[in-house]
Coordinates of all heavy atoms in Angstrom, one line a residue:
R1 N 8.3 -54.8 11.5 CA 6.9 -54.7 11.6 C 6.2 -56.0 11.2 O 6.6 -56.7 10.3 CB 6.4 -53.6 10.7 CG 4.9 -53.5 10.6 CD 4.5 -52.4 9.6 NE 5.2 -51.1 9.7 CZ 4.6 -50.1 10.3 NH1 3.4 -50.1 10.8 NH2 5.3 -49.0 10.4
A2 N 5.2 -56.4 11.9 CA 4.5 -57.6 11.6 C 3.6 -57.3 10.4 O 3.2 -56.1 10.1 CB 3.6 -58.0 12.8
F3 N 3.2 -58.3 9.7 CA 2.4 -58.1 8.5 C 1.0 -57.4 8.9 O 0.4 -57.9 9.8 CB 2.1 -59.5 7.8 CG 1.1 -59.4 6.7 CD1 1.5 -58.7 5.5 CD2 -0.1 -60.0 6.7 CE1 0.6 -58.6 4.5 CE2 -1.0 -59.9 5.7 CZ -0.7 -59.2 4.6
D4 N 0.7 -56.4 8.2 CA -0.5 -55.6 8.4 C -1.4 -55.7 7.1 O -1.1 -55.1 6.1 CB -0.2 -54.2 8.7 CG -1.4 -53.4 9.2 OD1 -2.6 -53.9 8.9 OD2 -1.2 -52.3 9.7
P5 N -2.4 -56.6 7.1 CA -3.3 -56.7 5.9 C -3.9 -55.4 5.4 O -4.0 -55.2 4.2 CB -4.3 -57.7 6.3 CG -3.9 -58.3 7.6 CD -2.9 -57.4 8.2
A6 N -4.3 -54.5 6.3 CA -4.9 -53.3 5.9 C -3.9 -52.4 5.1 O -4.2 -51.8 4.1 CB -5.5 -52.5 7.1
R7 N -2.7 -52.4 5.6 CA -1.6 -51.6 5.0 C -1.3 -52.2 3.6 O -1.1 -51.4 2.6 CB -0.4 -51.5 5.8 CG -0.5 -50.5 7.0 CD 0.7 -50.6 7.8 NE 0.6 -49.7 9.0 CZ 1.3 -48.5 9.1 NH1 2.1 -48.2 8.1 NH2 1.1 -47.8 10.2
F8 N -1.2 -53.5 3.6 CA -0.9 -54.2 2.3 C -2.0 -53.9 1.3 O -1.7 -53.5 0.1 CB -0.7 -55.7 2.5 CG -0.4 -56.4 1.2 CD1 0.9 -56.3 0.7 CD2 -1.3 -57.2 0.6 CE1 1.2 -57.0 -0.5 CE2 -1.0 -57.9 -0.6 CZ 0.2 -57.8 -1.1
K9 N -3.2 -54.0 1.7 CA -4.3 -53.7 0.8 C -4.3 -52.2 0.3 O -4.5 -52.0 -0.9 CB -5.7 -54.0 1.5 CG -6.9 -53.8 0.7 CD -8.1 -54.1 1.4 CE -9.4 -53.9 0.6 NZ -10.6 -54.2 1.3
A10 N -4.0 -51.3 1.2 CA -3.9 -49.9 0.8 C -2.8 -49.6 -0.2 O -3.0 -48.9 -1.1 CB -3.7 -49.0 2.1
M11 N -1.7 -50.3 0.0 CA -0.6 -50.2 -1.0 C -1.0 -50.7 -2.3 O -0.7 -50.0 -3.3 CB 0.7 -50.9 -0.5 CG 1.4 -50.3 0.7 SD 2.7 -51.3 1.3 CE 3.9 -51.2 -0.1
V12 N -1.6 -51.9 -2.4 CA -2.0 -52.4 -3.7 C -3.1 -51.5 -4.3 O -2.9 -51.2 -5.5 CB -2.6 -53.8 -3.5 CG1 -3.3 -54.3 -4.7 CG2 -1.5 -54.8 -3.0
L13 N -4.0 -51.0 -3.6 CA -5.0 -50.1 -4.2 C -4.4 -48.8 -4.7 O -4.8 -48.3 -5.7 CB -6.1 -49.8 -3.1 CG -7.0 -51.0 -2.8 CD1 -8.0 -50.6 -1.7 CD2 -7.8 -51.4 -4.0
H14 N -3.4 -48.3 -4.0 CA -2.7 -47.1 -4.4 C -2.0 -47.3 -5.7 O -2.1 -46.5 -6.6 CB -1.7 -46.7 -3.3 CG -0.9 -45.5 -3.7 ND1 -1.4 -44.2 -3.8 CD2 0.4 -45.4 -4.2 CE1 -0.4 -43.4 -4.2 NE2 0.7 -44.1 -4.5
F15 N -1.3 -48.4 -5.8 CA -0.5 -48.7 -7.1 C -1.4 -49.1 -8.2 O -1.0 -49.1 -9.4 CB 0.6 -49.7 -6.8 CG 1.7 -49.2 -6.0 CD1 2.1 -49.8 -4.9 CD2 2.3 -48.0 -6.3 CE1 3.1 -49.3 -4.1 CE2 3.3 -47.5 -5.5 CZ 3.8 -48.1 -4.4
C16 N -2.6 -49.5 -7.9 CA -3.6 -50.0 -9.0 C -4.6 -49.0 -9.3 O -5.7 -49.3 -9.8 CB -4.2 -51.3 -8.6 SG -3.1 -52.7 -8.6
K17 N -4.3 -47.7 -9.0 CA -5.3 -46.6 -9.4 C -5.6 -46.6 -10.9 O -6.7 -46.4 -11.3 CB -4.8 -45.3 -8.9 CG -4.9 -45.0 -7.5 CD -4.3 -43.7 -7.1 CE -4.3 -43.4 -5.6 NZ -3.7 -42.2 -5.3
D18 N -4.5 -46.8 -11.7 CA -4.6 -46.8 -13.1 C -4.9 -48.3 -13.5 O -4.2 -49.2 -13.0 CB -3.4 -46.4 -13.8 CG -3.0 -44.9 -13.5 OD1 -4.0 -44.1 -13.4 OD2 -1.9 -44.6 -13.4
P19 N -5.9 -48.5 -14.4 CA -6.2 -49.9 -14.7 C -5.1 -50.5 -15.6 O -4.3 -49.8 -16.3 CB -7.5 -49.7 -15.5 CG -7.5 -48.3 -16.0 CD -6.7 -47.5 -15.0
G20 N -5.0 -51.8 -15.5 CA -4.1 -52.6 -16.3 C -2.7 -52.7 -15.8 O -1.8 -52.8 -16.6
V21 N -2.4 -52.5 -14.5 CA -1.1 -52.6 -14.0 C -0.7 -54.1 -14.0 O -1.4 -54.9 -13.4 CB -1.0 -52.1 -12.6 CG1 0.4 -52.3 -12.0 CG2 -1.4 -50.6 -12.6
P22 N 0.4 -54.5 -14.7 CA 0.8 -55.9 -14.7 C 1.2 -56.3 -13.3 O 1.7 -55.5 -12.5 CB 2.0 -55.9 -15.7 CG 1.9 -54.6 -16.4 CD 1.2 -53.7 -15.6
R23 N 1.1 -57.6 -13.1 CA 1.4 -58.1 -11.7 C 2.9 -58.0 -11.4 O 3.3 -57.7 -10.3 CB 1.0 -59.6 -11.6 CG 1.2 -60.1 -10.2 CD 0.8 -61.5 -10.1 NE -0.7 -61.5 -9.9 CZ -1.4 -62.6 -9.5 NH1 -0.8 -63.7 -9.3 NH2 -2.7 -62.5 -9.3
T24 N 3.7 -58.2 -12.4 CA 5.2 -58.0 -12.2 C 5.5 -56.6 -11.8 O 6.3 -56.4 -10.8 CB 6.0 -58.4 -13.5 OG1 5.6 -59.7 -13.8 CG2 7.5 -58.3 -13.2
K25 N 4.9 -55.6 -12.4 CA 5.2 -54.2 -12.1 C 4.6 -54.0 -10.7 O 5.3 -53.3 -9.9 CB 4.5 -53.3 -13.1 CG 4.8 -51.9 -12.8 CD 4.2 -51.0 -13.9 CE 4.5 -49.5 -13.5 NZ 4.0 -48.6 -14.6
L26 N 3.5 -54.5 -10.4 CA 2.9 -54.3 -9.0 C 3.8 -54.8 -8.0 O 4.0 -54.2 -6.9 CB 1.5 -54.9 -9.0 CG 0.8 -54.8 -7.6 CD1 0.6 -53.4 -7.2 CD2 -0.5 -55.6 -7.7
N27 N 4.3 -56.0 -8.2 CA 5.2 -56.7 -7.2 C 6.4 -55.8 -7.0 O 6.9 -55.6 -5.8 CB 5.6 -58.1 -7.7 CG 4.5 -59.0 -7.6 OD1 3.5 -58.9 -6.8 ND2 4.5 -60.1 -8.4
K28 N 7.0 -55.3 -8.1 CA 8.2 -54.5 -7.9 C 7.9 -53.1 -7.2 O 8.7 -52.7 -6.4 CB 8.8 -54.2 -9.3 CG 9.5 -55.4 -9.9 CD 10.1 -55.2 -11.2 CE 10.7 -56.5 -11.7 NZ 11.4 -56.3 -13.0
L29 N 6.8 -52.5 -7.5 CA 6.4 -51.3 -6.9 C 6.2 -51.5 -5.4 O 6.6 -50.7 -4.5 CB 5.1 -50.7 -7.5 CG 5.2 -50.1 -8.9 CD1 3.8 -49.8 -9.4 CD2 6.1 -48.9 -8.9
L30 N 5.6 -52.6 -5.0 CA 5.4 -52.9 -3.6 C 6.7 -53.1 -2.9 O 6.9 -52.6 -1.8 CB 4.5 -54.2 -3.4 CG 3.1 -54.1 -3.8 CD1 2.5 -55.5 -3.9 CD2 2.3 -53.2 -2.9
W31 N 7.6 -53.8 -3.5 CA 9.0 -54.0 -3.0 C 9.7 -52.7 -2.8 O 10.3 -52.4 -1.8 CB 9.8 -55.0 -3.8 CG 11.1 -55.3 -3.2 CD1 11.4 -56.2 -2.2 CD2 12.3 -54.7 -3.6 NE1 12.7 -56.1 -1.9 CE2 13.3 -55.2 -2.7 CE3 12.7 -53.7 -4.5 CZ2 14.7 -54.9 -2.8 CZ3 14.0 -53.4 -4.6 CH2 15.0 -53.9 -3.8
Y32 N 9.7 -51.9 -3.9 CA 10.4 -50.6 -3.8 C 9.9 -49.7 -2.7 O 10.6 -49.1 -2.0 CB 10.4 -49.9 -5.1 CG 11.3 -50.4 -6.2 CD1 10.8 -50.8 -7.4 CD2 12.7 -50.5 -5.9 CE1 11.7 -51.3 -8.4 CE2 13.5 -51.0 -6.9 CZ 13.0 -51.4 -8.1 OH 13.9 -51.9 -9.1
A33 N 8.6 -49.7 -2.6 CA 8.0 -48.8 -1.5 C 8.4 -49.3 -0.1 O 8.7 -48.5 0.8 CB 6.5 -48.8 -1.7
D34 N 8.3 -50.6 0.1 CA 8.6 -51.2 1.4 C 10.1 -51.0 1.7 O 10.5 -50.7 2.8 CB 8.3 -52.7 1.5 CG 6.9 -52.9 2.1 OD1 6.4 -52.0 2.8 OD2 6.3 -54.0 1.9
F35 N 10.9 -51.2 0.6 CA 12.4 -51.1 0.8 C 12.8 -49.7 1.1 O 13.6 -49.4 2.0 CB 13.1 -51.6 -0.4 CG 14.6 -51.5 -0.3 CD1 15.3 -52.5 0.4 CD2 15.3 -50.5 -0.9 CE1 16.7 -52.5 0.5 CE2 16.7 -50.5 -0.8 CZ 17.4 -51.4 -0.1
L36 N 12.2 -48.7 0.4 CA 12.5 -47.3 0.7 C 12.1 -46.9 2.1 O 12.8 -46.2 2.8 CB 11.9 -46.4 -0.4 CG 12.2 -44.9 -0.3 CD1 13.7 -44.7 -0.5 CD2 11.4 -44.1 -1.3
A37 N 10.9 -47.3 2.5 CA 10.4 -47.0 3.9 C 11.4 -47.7 4.9 O 11.7 -47.0 5.9 CB 9.0 -47.5 4.1
F38 N 11.8 -48.9 4.6 CA 12.7 -49.5 5.6 C 14.1 -48.8 5.6 O 14.7 -48.6 6.7 CB 12.9 -51.0 5.2 CG 13.8 -51.7 6.1 CD1 13.2 -52.3 7.3 CD2 15.1 -51.9 5.9 CE1 14.0 -52.9 8.2 CE2 16.0 -52.6 6.8 CZ 15.4 -53.1 8.0
R39 N 14.5 -48.4 4.5 CA 15.8 -47.7 4.4 C 15.8 -46.4 5.1 O 16.7 -46.0 5.8 CB 16.2 -47.4 2.9 CG 17.5 -46.8 2.7 CD 17.7 -46.6 1.2 NE 19.1 -46.7 0.9 CZ 19.6 -46.5 -0.3 NH1 18.7 -46.2 -1.3 NH2 20.8 -46.6 -0.5
Q40 N 14.6 -45.7 5.1 CA 14.5 -44.3 5.7 C 14.1 -44.4 7.2 O 14.5 -43.6 8.0 CB 13.5 -43.5 4.9 CG 14.0 -43.1 3.5 CD 13.0 -42.4 2.7 OE1 11.8 -42.3 3.1 NE2 13.4 -41.8 1.6
N41 N 13.3 -45.4 7.5 CA 12.7 -45.5 8.9 C 13.0 -46.7 9.6 O 12.5 -46.9 10.7 CB 11.1 -45.3 8.7 CG 10.7 -44.1 8.0 OD1 11.3 -43.0 8.2 ND2 9.8 -44.3 7.1
T42 N 13.8 -47.6 9.1 CA 14.1 -48.9 9.6 C 12.8 -49.8 9.9 O 12.9 -50.7 10.8 CB 14.9 -48.8 10.9 OG1 14.2 -48.2 11.9 CG2 16.2 -48.1 10.6
T43 N 11.8 -49.5 9.2 CA 10.6 -50.4 9.3 C 9.8 -50.3 8.0 O 9.8 -49.2 7.4 CB 9.6 -50.0 10.5 OG1 8.6 -50.9 10.5 CG2 9.1 -48.6 10.4
S44 N 9.3 -51.4 7.5 CA 8.6 -51.4 6.2 C 7.2 -50.8 6.4 O 6.7 -50.7 7.5 CB 8.6 -52.8 5.6 OG 7.7 -53.6 6.3
I45 N 6.5 -50.6 5.3 CA 5.2 -50.1 5.3 C 4.2 -51.2 5.7 O 3.4 -51.1 6.6 CB 4.8 -49.5 4.0 CG1 5.6 -48.3 3.7 CG2 3.3 -49.0 4.0 CD1 5.5 -47.7 2.3
S46 N 4.3 -52.3 5.0 CA 3.3 -53.4 5.1 C 3.7 -54.5 6.0 O 2.9 -55.3 6.5 CB 2.9 -54.0 3.7 OG 4.1 -54.6 3.2
G47 N 5.0 -54.7 6.1 CA 5.5 -55.9 6.9 C 5.5 -57.2 6.2 O 5.8 -58.2 6.8
V48 N 5.2 -57.2 4.9 CA 5.1 -58.4 4.1 C 6.6 -58.8 3.8 O 7.5 -58.0 3.7 CB 4.3 -58.2 2.8 CG1 5.1 -57.3 1.8 CG2 3.9 -59.5 2.1
R49 N 6.8 -60.2 3.7 CA 8.1 -60.7 3.4 C 8.1 -60.9 1.9 O 7.1 -61.2 1.3 CB 8.2 -62.1 4.1 CG 8.2 -61.9 5.6 CD 8.4 -63.3 6.2 NE 9.8 -63.6 6.0 CZ 10.4 -64.5 6.7 NH1 9.8 -65.2 7.6 NH2 11.7 -64.8 6.5
Y50 N 9.3 -60.7 1.3 CA 9.4 -60.8 -0.1 C 10.3 -62.0 -0.5 O 11.2 -62.4 0.2 CB 10.1 -59.5 -0.7 CG 9.1 -58.4 -0.6 CD1 9.0 -57.5 0.5 CD2 8.2 -58.1 -1.7 CE1 8.1 -56.5 0.6 CE2 7.3 -57.1 -1.6 CZ 7.2 -56.3 -0.5 OH 6.3 -55.3 -0.4
A51 N 10.0 -62.5 -1.7 CA 10.7 -63.7 -2.2 C 11.5 -63.3 -3.4 O 11.1 -62.4 -4.2 CB 9.8 -64.8 -2.5
H52 N 12.6 -63.9 -3.7 CA 13.4 -63.6 -4.9 C 12.9 -64.6 -6.0 O 13.1 -65.8 -5.9 CB 14.9 -63.9 -4.5 CG 15.8 -63.8 -5.7 ND1 16.3 -62.6 -6.1 CD2 16.3 -64.7 -6.6 CE1 17.1 -62.8 -7.2 NE2 17.1 -64.1 -7.5
L53 N 12.3 -64.0 -7.0 CA 11.8 -64.7 -8.1 C 12.6 -64.3 -9.4 O 13.2 -63.3 -9.4 CB 10.3 -64.5 -8.3 CG 9.4 -64.8 -7.1 CD1 8.0 -64.5 -7.4 CD2 9.5 -66.3 -6.8
P54 N 12.5 -65.2 -10.5 CA 13.2 -64.8 -11.7 C 12.8 -63.5 -12.3 O 13.7 -62.8 -12.9 CB 12.9 -66.0 -12.6 CG 12.5 -67.1 -11.7 CD 11.9 -66.5 -10.5
Q55 N 11.6 -63.1 -12.1 CA 11.1 -61.8 -12.7 C 11.4 -60.6 -11.8 O 11.1 -59.5 -12.1 CB 9.6 -61.8 -13.1 CG 9.3 -62.7 -14.2 CD 9.2 -64.2 -13.8 OE1 9.0 -64.5 -12.6 NE2 9.3 -65.1 -14.7
G56 N 11.9 -60.9 -10.6 CA 12.1 -59.8 -9.6 C 11.5 -60.1 -8.3 O 10.8 -61.2 -8.1
P57 N 11.6 -59.2 -7.3 CA 11.0 -59.5 -6.0 C 9.5 -59.5 -6.0 O 8.8 -58.8 -6.8 CB 11.5 -58.3 -5.2 CG 11.8 -57.2 -6.2 CD 12.2 -57.9 -7.4
A58 N 8.9 -60.3 -5.2 CA 7.4 -60.4 -5.1 C 7.1 -60.8 -3.6 O 7.9 -61.5 -3.0 CB 6.9 -61.5 -6.0
P59 N 5.9 -60.4 -3.2 CA 5.5 -60.8 -1.8 C 5.6 -62.3 -1.7 O 5.1 -63.0 -2.6 CB 4.1 -60.3 -1.7 CG 4.1 -59.1 -2.6 CD 4.9 -59.5 -3.8
D60 N 6.1 -62.8 -0.6 CA 6.1 -64.3 -0.4 C 4.7 -64.8 -0.4 O 3.8 -64.2 0.3 CB 6.8 -64.6 0.9 CG 7.4 -66.0 1.0 OD1 7.5 -66.6 -0.1 OD2 7.7 -66.4 2.1
N61 N 4.4 -65.9 -1.1 CA 3.1 -66.5 -1.3 C 2.1 -65.4 -1.8 O 1.0 -65.3 -1.4 CB 2.6 -67.0 0.1 CG 3.4 -68.1 0.6 OD1 3.8 -69.0 -0.1 ND2 3.7 -68.0 1.9
Y62 N 2.6 -64.7 -2.9 CA 1.8 -63.7 -3.5 C 0.4 -64.2 -4.0 O -0.5 -63.5 -4.1 CB 2.5 -62.8 -4.5 CG 2.9 -63.5 -5.7 CD1 2.1 -63.5 -6.9 CD2 4.1 -64.3 -5.8 CE1 2.5 -64.1 -8.0 CE2 4.5 -64.9 -7.0 CZ 3.7 -64.8 -8.1 OH 4.0 -65.5 -9.2
D63 N 0.4 -65.4 -4.5 CA -0.9 -66.0 -5.0 C -1.9 -66.0 -3.9 O -3.1 -65.6 -4.2 CB -0.7 -67.4 -5.6 CG 0.1 -67.4 -6.9 OD1 -0.1 -66.4 -7.7 OD2 0.7 -68.3 -7.2
T64 N -1.5 -66.4 -2.8 CA -2.5 -66.4 -1.6 C -2.9 -65.0 -1.2 O -4.1 -64.8 -1.0 CB -1.8 -67.1 -0.4 OG1 -1.4 -68.4 -0.8 CG2 -2.8 -67.3 0.7
L65 N -1.9 -64.1 -1.2 CA -2.3 -62.7 -0.8 C -3.2 -62.1 -1.8 O -4.2 -61.4 -1.4 CB -1.0 -61.9 -0.7 CG -0.1 -62.1 0.5 CD1 1.2 -61.4 0.4 CD2 -0.8 -61.8 1.8
F66 N -2.9 -62.2 -3.1 CA -3.8 -61.6 -4.1 C -5.2 -62.3 -4.2 O -6.2 -61.6 -4.4 CB -3.1 -61.5 -5.4 CG -2.0 -60.5 -5.5 CD1 -0.7 -60.9 -5.8 CD2 -2.2 -59.2 -5.1 CE1 0.3 -60.0 -5.8 CE2 -1.2 -58.3 -5.1 CZ 0.1 -58.7 -5.5
A67 N -5.2 -63.6 -3.9 CA -6.5 -64.3 -3.9 C -7.3 -63.7 -2.7 O -8.6 -63.6 -2.8 CB -6.3 -65.8 -3.7
W68 N -6.7 -63.5 -1.6 CA -7.4 -62.9 -0.4 C -7.9 -61.5 -0.8 O -9.0 -61.2 -0.4 CB -6.4 -62.8 0.8 CG -6.9 -62.0 1.9 CD1 -7.9 -62.3 2.8 CD2 -6.5 -60.6 2.2 NE1 -8.1 -61.2 3.6 CE2 -7.3 -60.2 3.3 CE3 -5.6 -59.7 1.6 CZ2 -7.1 -58.9 3.9 CZ3 -5.5 -58.5 2.2 CH2 -6.2 -58.1 3.3
L69 N -7.1 -60.7 -1.5 CA -7.6 -59.3 -1.9 C -8.8 -59.4 -2.8 O -9.7 -58.5 -2.7 CB -6.5 -58.6 -2.5 CG -5.3 -58.1 -1.6 CD1 -4.2 -57.5 -2.5 CD2 -5.8 -57.1 -0.6
V70 N -8.8 -60.3 -3.7 CA -9.9 -60.4 -4.7 C -11.2 -61.1 -4.1 O -12.3 -60.8 -4.5 CB -9.4 -61.2 -5.9 CG1 -10.6 -61.4 -6.9 CG2 -8.3 -60.5 -6.6
G71 N -11.0 -61.9 -3.0 CA -12.0 -62.7 -2.4 C -13.0 -61.8 -1.7 O -12.9 -60.6 -1.5
P72 N -14.1 -62.4 -1.1 CA -15.1 -61.7 -0.4 C -14.6 -61.0 0.9 O -15.2 -60.0 1.3 CB -16.2 -62.7 -0.1 CG -15.4 -64.0 -0.1 CD -14.3 -63.8 -1.1
D73 N -13.5 -61.5 1.5 CA -13.0 -60.9 2.7 C -12.1 -59.7 2.5 O -11.8 -59.0 3.4 CB -12.3 -61.9 3.6 CG -13.3 -63.0 4.1 OD1 -14.5 -62.8 4.1 OD2 -12.8 -64.2 4.3
G74 N -11.5 -59.6 1.3 CA -10.5 -58.6 0.9 C -11.1 -57.4 0.4 O -11.3 -56.3 0.6

């Protein structure tokens, strides 16, 4: 699946219902949800690419993605 900004935003909002979710936990939740969907349906939910980081998987260029979500267009 190609990257879908609306789906990515919906996933982030879903996992951030409770205030104070750390970014590392959010990154892992996003990866687990996409991985499970891919495993069951052979397509991910958001289409985002993930990078291998020391703290665990995270969306590739996550700083840019989260800046877009916080900005006026997100």
Side-chain angles (χ1 to χ4, degrees):
R1 172 183 313 255
F3 174 65
D4 187 347
R7 286 177 181 252
F8 181 73
K9 182 178 179 180
M11 287 176 68
V12 171
L13 291 175
H14 174 75
F15 290 127
C16 289
K17 286 180 184 174
D18 297 325
V21 176
R23 184 176 281 193
T24 303
K25 182 177 180 177
L26 176 61
N27 289 335
K28 289 181 182 184
L29 289 170
L30 291 168
W31 182 81
Y32 282 125
D34 268 339
F35 182 78
L36 183 62
F38 184 82
R39 185 180 209 187
Q40 293 174 347
N41 306 317
T42 65
T43 184
S44 69
I45 297 171
S46 66
V48 72
R49 297 180 75 161
Y50 289 90
H52 176 83
L53 299 178
Q55 292 82 20
D60 201 20
N61 298 319
Y62 68 93
D63 286 331
T64 306
L65 286 173
F66 289 124
W68 167 76
L69 286 174
V70 176
D73 296 334

